[in-house]
Amino acid sequence: MLMLTDLSDPVNNRYGMDDKKIAHDIRISGLVQGVGFRPFVYRLAHELGLTGTVRNQTDGVRIHIEGLPRGLEGFVAGLRSHCPPAAAIDDVQVVQAEFTGTDQFVIVGSADTSDLVTRISPDLPVCADCLEDMQRNSRRSDYAFTNCTNCGPRFSIVTALPYDRPETTMRSFAMCDDCRREYEDVLDRRFHAQPVACRHCGPQYTLSPDTLAAALDAGRIVAMKGIGGFHLACDATSQVAVEELRARKRRDAKPFAVMFADADTVARHAFVSEAERRLLESNARPIVLLQMRDGEQPIAPAVSSDLHTIGAILPYMPMHHLLFDRLKIPAIVLTSGNLSSEPIVTSNEVATKVLGPIADSLLTHNRDIHNRQDDSVAMVVNGRARPLRRSRGYVPNPVRLPFSADGIVAVGAEQKNTICFGSGNDAILSQHIGDLDDAATLEFFEEVLDRFPRLFRISPRLLVRDRHPDYLSTQIAEQSGLPTVAVGHHHAHIASCMTEHGLSDPVIGVALDGTGFGDDGAVWGGEFMIAELTGYERFAHFDYVRLPGGDLAVEEPWRSGLSYLTDAFGTEGPPSSARSSLAIFRDEVVTPREREAALHALSAGINTPLTSSAGRLFDAVAALCGICTRSHFDAEAPMRLADCLVEGTEEAYPFEVTDGARADDRTPRRVQFDPMIRRIVGDVTAGIPIGLISARFHNTICAVLVDVAREARDERGINRVVLSGGVFQNRYVLARSEERLAAAGFEVFAHEKVPSNDGGIALGQLAVAAARERESP
């Protein structure tokens, strides 16, 4: 019951029962399909004694409502104040309509009326009511596909709009009489729940949860089909099982996610704040990065490759709950079902071929996955959720724009790729696609590029790409036959965060990441901009250093360390007394031949591109400290450097900022780290704890941000700072930067809707192109 005042009662109706009845037509846009919105409208109308109709249309929900004026007033107010928890209303448009005198309120069939589309719901975790049904309802006892209008698959199964059963992968499952009655009963929780099913008529798994639990308890590796694709799983407390999974999956060191039965169990293995608990239990059910603690039954060190963080996730499918009801172990590794770097597997046939050799047991089901999705990843910093990978649970929720981007498609970057599609004022960011240098991932990219416009009825007219000429996304855009426009990598970073927060006036943009093609042809990555959506000026940047070996330096951080040492100490390098303390100069770490070749390349300028990359600076410091000289997965060196950080000091290293960027001199300032590098070498030589060196280094980065931002504010009068780029996935850097900038009087904006890494680039590209179009004559 909605518990609204009965406005059909003359006692509560200030207009009186004899007042003339009127009619309204109402159009509602937003996330209003697949979330029980029409049954809610039906119940609201009946409670208020109103008549009319409600239907799904491709551009939203349409309502014709008739009754007394006060009743209609309460109805419109109730649409927002009492809407279903999974719904999200963007706009309610009300116009007067012709009064027909209908004497009932009914739900009518869906209509395909417009090229504009309403939102499609992300996939939702199984709700408490359905979990109870799985224990008490004989038709759904232990049934692993139980769902209702408040939960279950959505985006993963939809093939076209409007969102009705024939346009989903459930179309091949005919409802039994009992499910049909629930589906057609407006007072039932499963009224018009498109995936509704029971054990008599719905999809089926090939293995029972008892069989699956027994295999996991015995230390075996299993592959199981989920909502957005297959997962590989094993006992997270068994070092042997985890190492075997790594060997079979060809994933040497990148941390695995771990699924726990509930948040209380997570809290026995990791530190969980209230904000982190809310994120774990949210409808998105992402993997949440947490600080580990010693648990009752410790998680195997191989899960996180000896890092002190863990990616924790809670059950979100009925099968997950059935499994944990039977498991003896407290947690399982749950990682994407694929070979390293390839997209998550979705089909039973491919799973048998690709995952069969990896897994001891293969669990499939007979409901197709139309839209593949990895699990999303997020963390909490300063009490707010920060997405790191945006996929299942968030996609395809759009970001609203203050202007139209209709028909604009932004193809993103090369790594952590996503694509962004403009539909009216909605920016629809795709699920995580991945790194395009893998052939299978590139095929997935092309699948999304083709599928989203058809699904959301977008007619692409302009493609937006990165300025890097060698990105595969750039090349595909240029070969499409459509007009293209290029947007700078770091401008797109800043624009994506601006768009999240609805900013249009100039800001001080700080973009810190590993790689981005610069205006001067160098590799940028430590950038301070005076930016707005339509353009930017480079105000300052980390000073250039050379990268011996070019892209090879990304995999071998010692190369960046050697370059910074050469800049700080000259061609002779640090004094001999320091060399014995530096891992770079140990022959068992870097061979003499490698070191000599790199030094020769630096002196001769051979294959040593210039870079201002913040990522390479983090690599260099990690290598100088001996933490990571060769990386086995993306950003390993910065992650290990942050992992060993010991909090509690405000000390920082010295740095220098050159003059420039004044009113009469637009040459950007340069942030020089030679003094810091010399001090770090001294600390390493003196045996200062690496955790303290790491803290001082991280504090230095935060101090640089504040100092440069102050200079920009003093000269340009801008007080808003926008933070973007992969470096702000570093929990310490983001938290300290926000706190110190705020303490210095700045308004600070960082990502809360899309990732700060290259997974958010496409949103910025789209916003820049749309803003430029809007301003062009």
Side-chain angles (χ1 to χ4, degrees):
M1 200 65 173
L2 296 172
M3 302 300 292
L4 292 174
T5 302
D6 185 2
L7 298 177
S8 63
D9 187 333
V11 174
N12 296 314
N13 182 4
R14 62 188 172 93
Y15 292 97
M17 287 296 291
D18 295 328
D19 248 21
K20 182 180 178 181
K21 291 184 176 182
I22 60 174
H24 287 337
D25 282 338
I26 302 173
R27 187 176 79 176
I28 303 172
S29 60
L31 179 49
V32 288
Q33 290 189 19
V35 291
F37 198 83
R38 288 178 298 170
F40 152 70
V41 170
Y42 175 94
R43 293 191 293 271
L44 179 61
H46 273 263
E47 183 163 333
L48 296 177
L50 306 175
T51 60
T53 60
V54 59
R55 73 168 70 211
N56 276 346
Q57 296 190 165
T58 48
D59 58 348
V61 167
R62 292 293 182 94
I63 303 168
H64 177 82
I65 192 79
E66 299 188 354
L68 296 170
R70 180 70 183 277
L72 268 62
E73 179 183 321
F75 178 81
V76 172
L79 289 173
R80 288 190 181 275
S81 62
H82 289 74
C83 73
I89 294 175
D90 286 341
D91 189 38
V92 178
Q93 296 181 6
V94 182
V95 296
Q96 289 187 346
E98 181 180 353
F99 181 78
T100 66
T102 182
D103 61 357
Q104 59 182 336
F105 192 93
V106 296
I107 297 176
V108 297
S110 299
D112 187 345
T113 60
S114 170
D115 285 338
L116 294 174
V117 297
T118 190
R119 293 191 200 173
I120 300 171
S121 169
D123 297 294
L124 299 170
V126 60
C127 68
D129 289 332
C130 282
L131 289 175
E132 186 173 340
D133 286 346
M134 289 164 60
Q135 296 177 345
R136 300 186 179 185
N137 184 319
S138 60
R139 289 169 40 239
R140 295 191 173 89
S141 176
D142 288 350
Y143 181 57
F145 295 88
T146 301
N147 67 86
C148 69
T149 54
N150 299 319
C151 70
R154 296 293 191 274
F155 174 64
S156 60
I157 64 171
V158 69
T159 60
L161 291 179
Y163 175 69
D164 284 321
R165 194 177 182 103
E167 307 301 341
T168 73
T169 59
M170 285 295 296
R171 59 181 170 270
S172 58
F173 298 95
M175 283 182 254
C176 66
D177 291 342
D178 289 329
C179 285
R180 173 65 65 182
R181 276 192 292 272
E182 293 170 330
Y183 183 85
E184 294 177 351
D185 182 357
V186 72
L187 298 179
D188 194 281
R189 201 176 80 250
R190 295 185 170 90
F191 176 72
H192 283 201
Q194 305 307 333
V196 66
C198 71
R199 63 173 58 258
H200 302 311
C201 63
Q204 301 290 335
Y205 271 106
T206 55
L207 296 176
S208 72
D210 299 270
T211 302
L212 202 63
L216 288 165
D217 282 332
R220 297 190 180 96
I221 296 168
V222 303
M224 51 184 173
K225 190 175 183 179
I227 285 181
F230 278 79
H231 287 96
L232 290 165
C234 72
D235 179 0
T237 66
S238 169
Q239 184 79 353
V240 173
V242 177
E243 288 178 346
E244 182 63 23
L245 176 56
R246 286 198 178 281
R248 296 186 193 180
K249 186 177 163 68
R250 304 177 199 166
R251 182 164 165 168
D252 291 341
K254 187 176 181 181
F256 285 134
V258 177
M259 178 171 278
F260 297 87
D262 51 47
D264 288 340
T265 308
V266 176
R268 291 197 288 270
H269 292 84
F271 297 96
V272 183
S273 68
E274 284 303 311
E276 287 165 336
R277 180 181 285 262
R278 286 194 299 271
L279 183 58
L280 279 166
E281 296 176 339
S282 70
N283 273 346
R285 284 294 198 280
I287 298 166
V288 180
L289 299 189
L290 303 168
Q291 292 297 122
M292 290 185 68
R293 69 164 93 216
D294 293 331
E296 300 168 354
Q297 190 172 354
I299 300 301
V303 167
S304 296
S305 294
D306 296 318
L307 293 170
H308 295 88
T309 55
I310 188 169
I313 186 170
L314 297 184
Y316 54 86
M317 293 171 52
M319 177 56 87
H320 295 153
H321 289 272
L322 293 173
L323 185 59
F324 274 96
D325 285 344
R326 292 156 173 80
L327 282 171
K328 298 174 183 177
I329 55 177
I332 59 173
V333 165
L334 195 76
T335 185
S336 298
N338 55 6
L339 291 177
S340 184
S341 81
E342 293 184 357
I344 189 170
V345 171
T346 57
S347 79
N348 296 342
E349 295 74 20
V350 175
T352 301
K353 179 180 178 181
V354 175
L355 304 182
I358 300 175
D360 300 307
S361 301
L362 180 63
L363 175 72
T364 67
H365 61 69
N366 57 343
R367 184 181 69 203
D368 289 340
I369 297 169
H370 188 67
N371 297 303
R372 82 179 77 210
Q373 302 168 89
D374 287 281
D375 292 321
S376 296
V377 183
M379 65 179 179
V380 172
V381 176
N382 288 337
R384 300 191 296 279
R386 316 301 178 113
L388 304 177
R389 182 171 74 194
R390 187 178 183 271
S391 206
R392 180 197 50 77
Y394 294 101
V395 174
N397 278 345
V399 176
R400 291 289 288 175
L401 302 173
F403 41 73
S404 175
D406 202 50
I408 301 177
V409 177
V411 297
E414 186 84 349
Q415 294 185 317
K416 301 177 179 65
N417 180 271
T418 60
I419 307 174
C420 196
F421 301 84
S423 175
N425 284 47
D426 281 346
I428 304 171
L429 197 65
S430 78
Q431 66 270 52
H432 168 79
I433 294 172
D435 297 349
L436 300 186
D437 55 3
D438 175 80
T441 305
L442 184 61
E443 187 176 317
F444 180 25
F445 169 89
E446 292 175 319
E447 174 188 292
V448 172
L449 190 59
D450 173 69
R451 181 170 292 174
F452 267 58
R454 288 188 285 109
L455 179 58
F456 294 101
R457 303 190 181 189
I458 296 166
S459 297
R461 58 179 179 81
L462 177 68
L463 297 188
V464 195
R465 61 169 180 83
D466 193 275
R467 279 185 178 162
H468 199 303
D470 295 332
Y471 278 2
L472 291 171
S473 55
T474 293
Q475 294 172 15
I476 289 173
E478 290 298 326
Q479 295 164 10
S480 68
L482 291 172
T484 64
V485 61
V487 173
H489 188 91
H490 298 96
H491 184 207
H493 266 307
I494 300 304
S496 69
C497 190
M498 291 178 68
T499 302
E500 275 194 36
H501 294 282
L503 304 177
S504 57
D505 293 333
V507 300
I508 302 166
V510 183
L512 304 183
D513 66 359
T515 300
F517 191 77
D519 296 351
D520 56 2
V523 180
W524 287 10
E527 309 305 314
F528 300 82
M529 300 175 171
I530 306 301
E532 50 192 322
L533 291 180
T534 54
Y536 66 93
E537 173 195 340
R538 195 184 195 194
F539 182 82
H541 62 87
F542 288 6
D543 201 8
Y544 286 131
V545 297
R546 292 196 173 274
L547 286 183
D551 289 343
L552 191 58
V554 177
E555 300 174 5
E556 300 181 358
W558 68 265
R559 294 176 178 273
S560 296
L562 193 64
S563 182
Y564 271 97
L565 284 176
T566 302
D567 277 8
F569 291 96
T571 56
E572 297 301 317
S576 57
S577 59
R579 292 191 178 213
S580 60
S581 301
L582 299 174
I584 291 174
F585 293 100
R586 295 176 195 152
D587 293 350
E588 69 273 18
V589 176
V590 180
T591 68
R593 183 175 179 179
E594 286 178 312
R595 196 163 45 244
E596 290 165 10
L599 288 170
H600 175 71
L602 285 169
S603 63
I606 301 171
N607 191 23
T608 54
L610 290 172
T611 184
S612 61
S613 167
R616 302 294 76 79
L617 175 61
F618 277 75
D619 284 354
V621 174
L624 294 177
C625 291
I627 295 170
C628 182
T629 55
R630 299 179 194 269
S631 294
H632 299 90
F633 58 88
D634 179 47
E636 180 181 4
M639 288 172 64
R640 295 200 182 281
L641 185 62
D643 190 66
C644 74
L645 183 152
V646 177
E647 297 191 39
T649 181
E650 298 298 320
E651 296 174 0
Y653 291 118
F655 59 90
E656 297 174 355
V657 181
T658 66
D659 289 337
R662 301 186 186 282
D664 57 348
D665 179 9
R666 294 298 183 181
T667 303
R669 286 169 164 77
R670 291 176 290 115
V671 183
Q672 296 180 327
F673 291 103
D674 291 352
M676 180 187 75
I677 296 296
R678 288 191 286 268
R679 286 283 297 276
I680 289 175
V681 169
D683 281 355
V684 172
T685 304
I688 300 298
I690 296 301
L692 179 56
I693 296 174
S694 175
R696 289 170 175 171
F697 166 70
H698 283 79
N699 289 341
T700 304
I701 298 299
C702 299
V704 168
L705 265 61
V706 174
D707 282 9
V708 175
R710 278 179 170 149
E711 293 190 18
R713 178 174 61 187
D714 291 345
E715 294 185 11
R716 307 299 174 88
I718 300 170
N719 199 52
R720 287 179 167 177
V721 178
V722 169
L723 308 176
S724 188
V727 166
F728 292 106
Q729 295 175 115
N730 182 310
R731 190 190 304 268
Y732 187 91
V733 170
L734 177 57
R736 282 298 185 95
S737 296
E738 287 184 333
E739 292 164 0
R740 293 184 178 186
L741 285 165
F746 290 97
E747 287 185 81
V748 188
F749 301 88
H751 289 274
E752 297 178 31
K753 295 180 181 177
V754 303
S756 62
N757 59 43
D758 283 5
I761 282 277
L763 173 63
Q765 292 174 338
L766 184 95
V768 169
R772 287 174 179 170
E773 269 196 347
R774 186 166 175 260
E775 286 201 355
S776 63

